[in-house]
Amino acid sequence: MAFASTALPIGTSTAFSQPAPSVNVQSAFQRNLNVHLICPDCKEIPPNLVENFSDGDMVCGSCGLVLGDRIIDTRSEWRTFANDDQGNDDPSRVGEALNPLLDGNQLDTMISYGAPGSNVGRELNRTQNKVVHDKKDNELQAAYAKISQMCERYSLPRVVQDTAKDIYKKVKDNRKLKGKSQESIEAAAIFIACRQSGVGRTFKEICLLTSVPKKEIGKVFKIIDGILLELGTPTNAAGQGDREYQAVGTNAEDLLNRFCSHLGLSTQVASGAQYIARRAAKEGILAGRSPISIAAATIYMAAGLFGEGRSASKIAERAGVSDGTIKTSYKFLWEAREKLVDPQWIESKKASLSGLPKV
């Protein structure tokens, strides 16, 4: 009987083989952690290897055999040579952090003064400063220094300084401020920064920092406020990070604690004055009057109510208003005293209506 045979191509084996296992493509590129670099002489596991970055070599710490050369130093460049500074020669290779309040990339190259006694390096440094340094950055730095100086006079927090500088940078080149003095723009920026940071100041207090009249600061403030509202750009604020600019007003409660502290009054009087100011605002008793007048009148009333009376002239001196204005506003508070005074104060004998100043 004849059997049919099947011809196989040349080079084909007749032996049956198992199917090839599937290869994970991703595993082929994974690092093999079983491979260790060891010293061929010591063969210690784990190996005692030392990276000598100064020479760029990898050396066996046991026998001293060099296992690799030209090792790259991957450590950070933060080095200081302050103790070795000789003749303005600073070999530090790291510059300062970028300042977001300045324009440009700020990646400047500084030329050292050179060897002591040589004027070549000094002249090159002076020439490069004239060419590289931007005039706008110099003007901004001068304005920022003035803003910081004015804020430090009133012991304003750092967040007020940063916010005022940010506002000044955004509006300084606006055409609406053409013809306005730089000092008035700086004062208005500080005034807005105080409001945005929750530490409101009055126009009179800001006016004392500069030689700019109060009316001029008020005009520039309105212009800058309109510019910021049109831009709608984020502005730094206390505890808020970056948020969209919103017009914020100053109320009497923002001024009461500071005025009471300047007058040497207790926290009880300050809390009572804030309660009276809130009640007066709710009842609309002093509607239309300035926050300074309301704050001074409520302090005048609360101080007498809790037995720590202060004269109207003394309060007027600290608040920056006339004593006549305080007495006029107080007259409306005295007429509505039954609505403004908390009955618990009288029941606990912490306060007495007989201590209120007479109208």
Side-chain angles (χ1 to χ4, degrees), residues 78 92-99 102 105-108 110 133 141:
W78 297 109
S92 177
R93 294 178 289 174
V94 178
E96 60 182 356
L98 296 179
N99 189 349
L102 297 179
N105 52 20
Q106 304 172 37
L107 299 177
D108 298 336
M110 301 299 296
H133 288 182
Q141 289 178 347

Side-chain angles (χ1 to χ4, degrees), residues 290-301:
S290 66
I292 308 177
S293 303
I294 298 174
T298 52
I299 291 174
Y300 185 55
M301 182 177 185

Side-chain angles (χ1 to χ4, degrees), residues 14-311:
T14 58
F16 295 98
S17 59
Q18 297 292 334
S22 60
V23 180
N24 189 358
V25 179
Q26 294 182 355
S27 62
F29 297 97
Q30 291 181 355
R31 184 178 180 181
N32 190 355
L33 301 178
N34 295 323
V35 178
H36 298 280
L37 178 62
I38 63 176
C39 176
D41 293 344
C42 301
K43 299 181 179 180
E44 295 180 350
I45 298 177
N48 182 18
L49 302 181
V50 179
E51 293 182 348
N52 188 358
F53 291 113
S54 59
D55 297 332
D57 297 333
M58 182 178 291
V59 185
C60 177
S62 300
C63 65
L65 180 65
V66 179
L67 303 179
D69 57 355
R70 297 183 180 180
I71 300 299
I72 298 176
D73 188 357
T74 58
R75 296 175 299 178
S76 62
E77 290 282 353
W78 297 109
R79 307 187 301 163
T80 176
F81 296 88
N83 297 330
D84 301 331
D85 189 9
Q86 301 292 335
N88 295 324
D89 182 18
D90 185 9
S92 177
R93 294 178 289 174
V94 178
E96 60 182 356
L98 296 179
N99 189 349
L101 296 174
L102 297 179
D103 297 324
N105 52 20
Q106 304 172 37
L107 299 177
D108 298 336
T109 301
M110 301 299 296
I111 298 179
S112 63
Y113 288 103
S118 176
N119 294 327
V120 178
R122 187 179 299 273
E123 293 296 331
L124 286 174
N125 181 275
R126 187 179 303 172
T127 304
Q128 191 215 24
N129 288 339
K130 293 180 180 179
V131 175
V132 175
H133 288 182
D134 193 356
K135 185 179 179 181
K136 290 184 178 180
D137 285 349
N138 293 336
E139 293 177 354
L140 280 175
Q141 289 178 347
Y144 293 161
K146 204 165 185 179
I147 289 174
S148 299
Q149 183 182 6
M150 289 190 289
C151 290
E152 288 172 359
R153 287 187 202 171
Y154 268 177
S155 301
L156 294 174
R158 181 63 182 269
V159 66
V160 175
Q161 298 185 27
D162 295 340
T163 306
K165 293 174 183 178
D166 186 50
I167 293 173
Y168 177 83
K169 179 184 177 182
K170 292 176 180 177
V171 303
K172 65 181 180 66
D173 294 330
N174 196 286
R175 298 178 64 180
K176 295 181 180 179
L177 292 173
K178 187 176 181 180
K180 303 297 181 182
S181 64
Q182 181 178 344
E183 197 170 16
S184 63
I185 299 175
E186 294 167 356
I190 295 175
F191 180 77
I192 297 176
C194 289
R195 285 189 171 185
Q196 293 291 316
S197 303
V199 287
R201 293 295 187 271
T202 63
F203 280 113
K204 290 185 179 180
E205 291 175 312
I206 301 298
C207 182
L208 293 176
L209 291 175
T210 62
S211 58
V212 183
K214 185 177 68 173
K215 291 184 179 180
E216 182 66 18
I217 297 177
K219 291 179 182 179
V220 177
F221 158 72
K222 290 182 179 180
I223 297 175
I224 294 178
D225 188 61
I227 294 172
L228 294 176
L229 287 174
E230 290 178 1
L231 295 176
T233 53
T235 302
N236 294 329
Q240 299 290 338
D242 286 346
R243 61 183 177 86
E244 187 175 351
Y245 174 79
Q246 295 179 353
V248 179
T250 302
N251 52 37
E253 296 181 29
D254 297 334
L255 309 173
L256 283 172
N257 287 333
R258 188 155 44 86
F259 289 167
C260 289
S261 177
H262 292 167
L263 292 167
L265 297 172
S266 62
T267 56
Q268 188 178 33
V269 175
S271 300
Q274 288 184 349
Y275 178 84
I276 294 173
R278 286 194 296 268
R279 291 292 302 172
K282 186 176 181 180
E283 298 291 337
I285 296 173
L286 295 177
R289 298 192 176 267
S290 66
I292 308 177
S293 303
I294 298 174
T298 52
I299 291 174
Y300 185 55
M301 182 177 185
L305 193 64
F306 288 95
E308 301 182 27
R310 296 290 190 275
S311 63

